[in-house]
Structures are given as structure tokens and as C-alpha cells.
Amino acid sequence: MLPWKRWLRPLAALALTAAAVLTPAATASAAPTAQATASSGWNDYSCKPSAAHPRPVVLVHGTFANSVDNWLVLAPYLVNRGYCVFSLDYGQLPGVPLIHGLGPIDKSAEQLRDFVDKVLAATGAPEADLVGHSQGGMMPRHYLKFLGGADKVNALVGIAPDNHGTTLLGLTKLLPHFPGAEKFLNDKTPALADQIAGSPFLTRLNEGGDTVPGVQYTVIATRYDQVVTPYRSQYLDGPNVRNVLVQDLCPVNISEHVAIGTIDRIAFHEVANALDPANATPTNCGSVIN
């Protein structure tokens, strides 16, 4: 195969991923609002956690996404199970509506810190649980490690998180061969530059270990992930970590990077198990109807 043909595969994967996430936003009649999501049961600041589910759940979207489109299935799924559920927009760039998660990730983590404080103040809970997709499963680790989040978070569940960056099937290794490409990423879409395997952001994040004491970590991955590659780079190492491959639970699962975070009920069943491990139930192919 000619070398240029190998490059097209990861490029197409990235384009398809962006299109899949952006299509709902592009066709929306208005920007997402807390009022709209509250009417569907989440981002309801009058919600008080129950004895069964004493911690609010904060959902953290991925790159090119927003606080509504990423969670149209998972948020109601958790609300229907009795959780107080909240989601935020972060990483906005000036003049770019609806699609977020593009700004510097350390600054996005500061937005997450402020949002968690707001949720805890409204609910009266001492701690929250975080569930994130893609960048949203990795970015909170900066909050936990550097911004005091470990004292306010019980668990972090990452769905297809790029914990150690991505090579985009090797495409990122080609950037040095294209003059100006790396500078363009840094200047125009800092979050994308931060997510490349070996970036200064990720090097600092992972120095000294993947985890911090006192937080329970779950990673839910798919072997068919075409965006965060290799998929095993999503896994964390350390105490209080559970790494899950959905195909080990349901061999016929074919979810890729977008599907596992937006519609995959097997992944969502594992999210529910991670949030309430004392009442966890086995996850298998039949979990899609639970």
C-alpha cells in the first residue's frame, strides 16, 4: 500500500468522529441551555442526592462536543436510576459556538473545578463522581492532581479516555514532517495539541503515576477505537483502578470511539456499576435492555 493511503485512514476516522459529534449540534435550533437539560431531568439544581446515591454525577464531554449532545442517552439513563446529574461546557474558543473542548486542557480543568464547586454547593454533597468521554475522561485527572479535586471527587469514570495521548493510528508521528502543522495545532486548537502522545501537557500529567490517593478510577475502552490509539493507552496503572474492555463483556460489541460514549448501553451499564459498586450487577450483551 502506498504510504499516503495509510495516512488517509486516521484522517478519515478523525473527520467521521467530528462529523458524528457535530451533526446534532449543527442541526439544533438553539444553543444548549441548562433550562433545556433540566427539563429532561439533568442540570436540575434543585435535585438533592438520595441515601442510595449520595453523590451528584458530573458529566464531562469530549473534544468537538458540548454538555448536551454528548449525553442525550447517558444523562437520562442515570437520572432514571435516581442520580442527580449535571453537565458542563468547557474549553470554548472565541467565535466557535456549540462545539467545545478545544481550549488548553489545563484551563478547561479550572472550569471543571469551578463547576464541581457549584454542584456541591447546590446539592450539599461533600463529594461528586465524574464521568467523562474521550478528553472528558482524561482532563479531570489534571483537576484531581493539580487543582485540589481529589478532596472533592470520589470516583472518575473515563469512557474511551486519552489518558496517555493518541497517535491517531500513527498520524501524529508525521506532524514534524509538515512545517507549521504543530504550531497551527497549538495556536488554533490547543486541546488537540495537548492530546498528542508525548505532549508536554500529558508528560506532566503522567509524571509520578497515573492516579492520586482517595479516588476510584474506572476506564471503559473499546478495541475498535479509531481516535484514541492504541486503545490500551487509555488504561491507567495504579491502586483503585479498574480497566474494562467492552468486548470482554460482550464479544459482539462493535462500538468505536463516538458510539461507546454516546449510545453504548453496555458501556453505560459499566458506568452504573462504577458509580455504585456495592450494588453492581454483571455486564453482558443482555445489558443493552437494562
Side-chain angles (χ1 to χ4, degrees):
M1 179 184 293
L2 294 175
W4 65 269
K5 289 186 177 181
R6 290 199 299 268
W7 305 346
L8 289 180
R9 185 181 176 190
L11 278 172
L14 181 60
L16 288 171
T17 299
V21 175
L22 294 179
T23 297
T27 57
S29 59
T33 64
Q35 182 178 2
T37 54
S39 67
S40 300
W42 92 91
N43 278 345
D44 177 3
Y45 285 88
S46 68
C47 185
K48 299 300 179 184
S50 65
H53 301 303
R55 292 176 300 274
V57 178
V58 174
L59 303 178
V60 190
H61 66 73
T63 311
F64 297 120
N66 61 54
S67 61
V68 175
D69 292 337
N70 211 143
W71 307 121
L72 290 173
V73 178
L74 180 57
Y77 179 94
L78 294 175
V79 168
N80 290 340
R81 282 156 177 76
Y83 289 92
C84 292
V85 179
F86 301 86
S87 62
L88 77 155
D89 286 319
Y90 70 87
Q92 299 90 336
L93 291 180
V96 181
L98 296 180
I99 56 174
H100 307 307
L102 299 175
I105 297 180
D106 58 346
K107 300 301 181 184
S108 293
E110 293 176 5
Q111 291 180 274
L112 174 61
R113 174 197 61 196
D114 295 344
F115 187 80
V116 170
D117 286 348
K118 177 182 177 182
V119 168
L120 294 181
T123 60
E127 290 184 313
D129 290 327
L130 308 180
V131 178
H133 177 218
S134 193
Q135 180 190 162
M138 174 272 290
M139 176 270 280
R141 292 179 51 226
H142 183 92
Y143 163 54
L144 298 177
K145 190 170 186 177
F146 299 116
L147 301 177
D151 294 332
K152 300 176 181 180
V153 172
N154 169 72
L156 170 61
V157 184
I159 307 172
D162 48 349
N163 281 315
H164 298 96
T166 179
T167 67
L168 272 180
L169 297 174
L171 180 65
T172 58
K173 296 179 181 179
L174 300 174
L175 288 174
H177 301 287
F178 294 88
E182 290 178 292
K183 185 178 187 302
F184 179 85
L185 280 178
N186 277 298
D187 292 348
K188 302 300 183 183
T189 53
L192 295 183
D194 284 345
Q195 292 176 82
I196 294 174
S199 72
F201 172 83
L202 286 167
T203 298
R204 179 171 182 251
L205 177 64
N206 292 314
E207 281 178 344
D210 292 346
T211 64
V212 297
V215 179
Q216 305 293 321
Y217 295 84
T218 302
V219 173
I220 304 170
T222 171
R223 71 171 71 252
Y224 301 118
D225 199 312
Q226 80 284 41
V227 174
V228 181
T229 59
Y231 75 84
R232 289 184 181 86
S233 69
Q234 301 172 24
Y235 293 163
L236 294 173
D237 183 31
N240 301 323
V241 170
R242 181 168 183 254
N243 295 310
V244 180
L245 186 68
V246 292
Q247 283 77 28
D248 287 343
L249 305 174
C250 178
V252 298
N253 186 301
I254 59 172
S255 286
E256 38 63 64
H257 186 76
V258 173
I260 192 175
T262 56
I263 61 173
D264 190 331
R265 301 278 291 214
I266 292 170
F268 295 168
H269 191 266
E270 275 301 294
V271 169
N273 281 344
L275 295 176
D276 188 9
N279 295 294
T281 58
T283 303
N284 50 47
C285 295
S287 299
V288 296
I289 61 175
N290 293 334

